Amino acid sequence: MTDRDDEQLDGGATTPAEALAAIRASQEAVRDQTRPDSTRMFVVWGVAYLVAYVALYLGFDREGQTPGGWSLAVLGVSVVAAMAYTAVHITRRTSGIRGSSAMVGRMFGWAWVLGFGFAAVIVGSVAAAGAPPLAVSILANAVFLLVVAALYMAGGALWREWPMFVLGAWFAVTGAVAAIVTPPNGYLVQAVAGGGGFLVAALATALLARREA
Amino acid sequence: MSELELDPVIHAQARLRVVATLAGLPRGDRIAFPRLQKVLDMTAGNLSTHLRKLEDAGYVAVEKAFEGRSPATYLSLTPTGRRAFETYTASLEALLKGSLE
């Protein structure tokens, strides 16, 4: 085999510094192309939270003590759109990659599905047992945010990503505040602190990535 | 720069990039051939040649699998390959330090 690519490095002008630079460039390229982009995920979810919670706030039916139909529709559309974007992005980035990280990702994905399923059952059962509408509104928001906060902290620990962990911890605090404040003002807390939290985290991951490069 | 022996299997432009890329994946992960080819921007023939050499040296594990009916090849660094890459990188760093002194 005498193809050009097979030339020994020290035959040409390649120095150890250049070889090390080539190693770094290759490792950055593979990371950039095969790992989900946290910054992009945080922006997408930040916008979804902002839109959804502003809708819940504006559409709150004060007599019925529950979010109005159109605001729940906006919430549904925002969450489904963000979920679809996340799924497509992660599938694209991780296609052709198998092994331990794929298994970890699948387990984490199922943790979300089962966590949200459980949360929905809790809210449904409490409502069916005759809890007042305001109590159901508080519980629904709190129990879903509990799942989000816990899984963000767990994900941060799993992938050693500080912005993700801090975001989870922040959601635990803002979720608690929103429960104390109660809807509809609690929704405004979520829109600003929750949605804003995602956007701050996006900025943090973008800056961290730039510093590493 | 020859006081230190540099691993000749890795010390070639294309194979260095292949090994560095595989070492950049999390431990325990494998990558499909077309995906690796895209990340490296190499021709299939060229990449196969280098992968064969790395496989012969025991540095790369080649796993043939079936996805539905179409065959797929997954590549990963073996523990020997990872050690060789770490030694190679350490040697480069030692050379760099030596040349600066």
Side-chain angles (χ1 to χ4, degrees):
Chain A
M1 277 292 137
T2 51
D3 56 313
R4 233 182 63 78
D5 279 328
D6 209 24
E7 279 171 14
Q8 295 291 293
L9 285 176
D10 49 7
T14 309
T15 64
E18 282 168 343
L20 283 169
I23 289 172
R24 261 195 300 277
S26 300
Q27 299 200 317
E28 259 165 40
V30 72
R31 266 176 221 144
D32 286 351
Q33 290 180 44
T34 61
R35 282 193 197 172
D37 181 347
S38 308
T39 305
R40 207 187 298 187
M41 294 290 91
F42 292 159
V43 169
V44 167
W45 282 100
V47 171
Y49 263 58
L50 262 174
V51 171
Y53 277 111
V54 166
L56 289 176
Y57 172 72
L58 294 176
F60 195 75
D61 171 4
R62 280 167 199 273
E63 273 173 31
Q65 294 283 287
T66 187
W70 71 267
S71 65
L72 289 174
V74 173
L75 168 73
V77 169
S78 317
V79 170
V80 168
M83 267 175 13
Y85 187 90
T86 304
V88 169
H89 178 69
I90 291 178
T91 307
R92 271 198 188 158
R93 287 284 171 104
T94 59
S95 87
I97 309 286
R98 275 189 176 185
S100 13
S101 66
M103 191 188 65
V104 169
R106 269 200 304 276
M107 285 177 171
F108 195 62
W110 278 107
W112 283 95
V113 173
L114 296 175
F116 276 171
F118 185 20
V121 171
I122 294 173
V123 175
S125 304
V126 170
L134 184 64
V136 175
S137 299
I138 295 170
L139 183 73
N141 190 47
V143 80
F144 279 98
L145 273 166
L146 173 66
V147 174
V148 174
L151 285 179
Y152 262 76
M153 288 190 277
L158 198 55
W159 288 289
R160 297 195 182 111
E161 273 209 43
W162 274 107
M164 194 177 189
F165 180 85
V166 173
L167 201 51
W170 177 243
F171 288 156
V173 174
T174 57
V177 171
I180 294 166
V181 171
T182 74
N185 293 335
Y187 294 142
L188 206 54
V189 171
Q190 279 311 132
V192 175
F198 268 121
L199 298 179
V200 170
L203 193 67
T205 49
L207 290 175
L208 280 175
R210 189 178 294 180
R211 212 178 58 180
E212 274 167 25
Chain B
M1 56 182 273
S2 51
E3 296 103 4
L4 269 167
E5 279 286 301
L6 284 174
D7 190 333
V9 179
I10 302 180
H11 195 58
Q13 183 74 34
R15 284 199 297 276
L16 173 60
R17 290 182 60 226
V18 173
V19 172
T21 300
L22 291 177
L25 291 173
R27 226 171 264 250
D29 275 9
R30 309 182 285 282
I31 186 167
F33 185 93
R35 202 72 215 280
L36 181 62
Q37 194 195 329
K38 207 176 151 209
V39 173
L40 288 164
D41 195 20
M42 281 167 81
T43 64
N46 202 359
L47 180 56
S48 307
T49 307
H50 291 300
L51 284 172
R52 204 166 304 126
K53 282 183 189 166
L54 289 166
E55 192 189 5
D56 290 345
Y59 288 1
V60 164
V62 180
E63 182 198 311
K64 307 261 181 200
F66 270 89
E67 282 174 350
R69 284 188 152 193
S70 47
T73 306
Y74 283 85
L75 293 320
S76 60
L77 221 50
T78 62
T80 314
R82 198 171 284 273
R83 260 197 308 281
F85 175 69
E86 279 160 9
T87 308
Y88 178 83
T89 311
S91 305
L92 282 180
E93 275 158 3
L95 281 169
L96 187 64
K97 228 175 129 196
S99 69
L100 288 176
E101 273 161 9

